[in-house]
Amino acid sequence: MSFDGQVALVTGGGSGMGQLACERMAKAGKKVAALDVNEEGLQKTAASSENVTTYVCDVTDLEAVKDSVGKIESDLGQIDRVMTAAAIMPSDLIMDMSPELTVKVMDVNFNGVVNTVHATLPQMIKRGQGQQIIFASLVGWMPVMHFGAYCASKFAVRSYADILYHENRHTGVDFFCVCPPMVNTPLLNQVQSNPKVMDEGKGPVEPGFILDEIEKGVAKGDFWITPGEAKWAIRAARWMPNLIWKNMHKIEGTA
């Protein structure tokens, strides 16, 4: 594991990628703080290791995040790694999704990152060390029908992380932006509108593969971590956007 620190904070630690990340780092002997609004999920995460300490926290609430970070520093010590894995992914056509739900997606996926960064990065900068691992997505580069809200939130996360890194690249803190393809986590259970694009390609990859790729990227010092098919798909989205949209319309039957 390419993590020399002792304490890690993981948002979204009650399920999916965040939960597995907590379990892996705890198994490696790290002290892990798992944050989530899902109390039942946090209980399962905590049961995996005595090295996991859980904190019920809504990442959309800045003061709640700051309070949790204060407790973590008091309970476990300085935070050496932050992984912002908290997210929601409801699907629907943009005009069929309520404005309230659309804003909620942005609040959890983007504002949750902003709040976590503001609650943890100043201390890292002061010490001149630490890791900020921010989860964006392949669809933070490639817009997909039925996922307008989710794509918008991940586009925002990706841009935010990119600028954050360049504004702080001489502080001693290491920054990483993870842009995975579709992953087999409980987020997929939130997809209700039957987007046909999900039946294309090789299907979702396993979260363990993504976490392995993150550690490889961290070890190499790669800011952009684009596991599996995400690497070529991002290139296609950047250089052939019209072709990507043509194929998307064909898949969804809207050509």
Side-chain angles (χ1 to χ4, degrees):
M1 177 173 290
S2 51
F3 175 35
D4 296 328
Q6 295 303 313
V7 179
L9 180 160
V10 181
T11 68
S15 67
M17 190 95 65
Q19 187 174 63
L20 183 58
C22 290
E23 293 172 358
R24 283 190 169 196
M25 289 187 287
K27 186 176 180 180
K30 310 301 181 181
K31 298 177 182 178
V32 182
L35 275 65
D36 209 307
V37 293
N38 180 358
E39 294 187 50
E40 182 178 352
L42 286 178
Q43 290 175 2
K44 294 180 181 178
T45 308
S48 67
S49 173
E50 62 181 11
N51 287 335
V52 175
T53 305
T54 61
Y55 302 83
V56 178
C57 179
D58 180 354
V59 294
T60 69
D61 183 338
L62 176 59
E63 293 307 314
V65 176
K66 287 182 175 180
D67 287 345
S68 293
V69 167
K71 292 175 183 176
I72 293 165
E73 292 173 334
S74 176
D75 296 342
L76 307 179
Q78 70 181 32
I79 298 169
D80 304 301
R81 169 183 276 190
V82 173
M83 299 181 75
T84 55
I88 58 175
M89 193 176 70
S91 71
D92 217 334
L93 299 176
I94 285 176
M95 294 308 296
D96 290 337
M97 181 177 289
S98 71
E100 292 80 9
L101 182 53
T102 301
V103 170
K104 181 178 180 181
V105 173
M106 184 64 73
D107 204 14
V108 174
N109 296 1
F110 176 66
N111 293 347
V113 171
V114 173
N115 291 341
T116 305
V117 166
H118 275 269
T120 59
L121 183 56
Q123 299 92 306
M124 289 184 172
I125 291 175
K126 186 176 181 179
R127 298 194 308 269
Q129 61 182 21
Q131 296 178 349
Q132 291 275 340
I133 301 176
I134 297 173
F135 281 80
S137 172
L138 164 60
V139 299
W141 297 87
M142 178 184 290
V144 180
M145 291 180 183
H146 289 262
F147 293 96
Y150 185 76
C151 289
S153 71
K154 292 301 185 177
F155 266 75
V157 169
R158 188 254 297 178
S159 298
Y160 178 83
D162 195 7
I163 297 168
L164 183 71
Y165 157 63
H166 282 282
E167 290 180 345
N168 296 280
R169 65 194 184 106
H170 297 306
T171 62
V173 179
D174 297 318
F175 296 87
F176 307 92
C177 186
V178 186
C179 301
M182 183 168 57
V183 185
N184 185 21
T185 72
L187 278 183
L188 297 183
N189 298 333
Q190 299 177 23
V191 178
Q192 302 294 328
S193 61
N194 194 31
K196 296 181 178 62
V197 70
M198 293 189 68
D199 298 325
E200 297 293 311
K202 300 178 181 178
V205 300
E206 293 303 313
F209 167 73
I210 302 300
L211 292 174
D212 288 342
E213 292 299 295
I214 289 173
E215 295 301 338
K216 291 177 185 177
V218 170
K220 292 188 295 183
D222 294 336
F223 172 72
W224 296 113
I225 299 177
T226 54
E229 66 179 3
K231 189 178 296 294
W232 68 262
I234 288 171
R235 291 174 181 171
R238 293 180 67 187
W239 297 109
M240 299 178 290
N242 290 338
L243 181 61
I244 294 296
W245 272 118
K246 183 177 180 180
N247 188 53
M248 183 73 61
H249 281 293
K250 181 179 179 180
I251 292 170
E252 296 297 338
T254 59

